[in-house]
Amino acid sequence: MIVRTLEQAEQSSRRVVTETWESTRMLLKDDNMGFSFHITTIYANTETHIWYQNHLESVYCISGEGEIETLADGKIYPITPGTLYILDKHDEHQLRGGATEMKLACVFNPPLNGKEVHDASGVYPLEAEKIS
Ligand code: 9YT
């Protein structure tokens, strides 16, 4: 069995920080579970263009508020605590942090290696560098 705490993981290279979000990757490909699990913070009043062409992702909102817009149809969905959104069609989207930062629990299939950040198209590469 594997046991990790968010507090420990945040103090290690599992914490990846960008301009609009940060994410602590608590469970990764190396753990051989077939998925990865992350606790992500979307900073308040931000917008991030995301398009996981190589991954499926489910996202559960623990706290805070924001919204997601799916670009294919222009639909906007509010995100509040208790909301789960499921990107089952590799949906290209804009993720917006609201007045308060959002804490999200995220699951990726296939699992991330550890160091992924979005490229100019909002994509994560299929194989990124592992955390050290
Ligand atoms: C919700 C979302 O996709 N945010 C971007 C970061 C991502 N959750 C990650 O890499 O952990």
Side-chain angles (χ1 to χ4, degrees):
M1 193 171 85
I2 303 167
V3 178
R4 297 188 180 118
T5 67
L6 180 59
E7 195 180 4
Q8 282 172 346
E10 279 175 341
Q11 286 159 20
S12 75
S13 54
R14 292 179 177 279
R15 178 169 174 253
V16 173
V17 179
T18 77
E19 262 185 36
T20 55
W21 56 265
E22 64 176 75
S23 188
T24 302
R25 279 112 187 221
M26 298 192 68
L27 169 66
L28 286 164
K29 185 177 179 182
D30 261 5
D31 294 311
N32 294 314
M33 290 292 287
F35 59 88
S36 58
F37 178 85
H38 324 155
I39 297 295
T40 297
T41 302
I42 306 297
Y43 299 147
N45 303 309
T46 58
E47 180 169 69
T48 308
H49 174 224
I50 300 176
W51 193 5
Y52 295 123
Q53 296 180 31
N54 300 314
H55 300 86
L56 298 168
E57 186 196 25
S58 290
V59 180
Y60 178 79
C61 179
I62 300 166
S63 64
E65 56 175 293
E67 65 179 33
I68 179 170
E69 176 175 355
T70 42
L71 297 190
D73 56 11
K75 282 192 183 165
I76 295 177
Y77 304 84
I79 305 170
T80 56
T83 304
L84 176 71
Y85 68 82
I86 302 158
L87 300 168
D88 63 327
K89 298 191 171 55
H90 302 275
D91 314 69
E92 184 180 12
H93 59 281
Q94 293 285 359
L95 183 60
R96 301 189 183 104
T100 57
E101 69 178 21
M102 275 193 292
K103 294 278 183 194
L104 306 172
C106 310
V107 175
F108 277 77
N109 169 24
L112 297 199
N113 274 317
K115 287 294 189 194
E116 289 87 346
V117 290
H118 302 117
D119 70 13
S121 309
V123 177
Y124 281 170
L126 197 49
E127 288 296 335
E129 201 185 323
K130 290 183 188 175
I131 58 165
S132 47

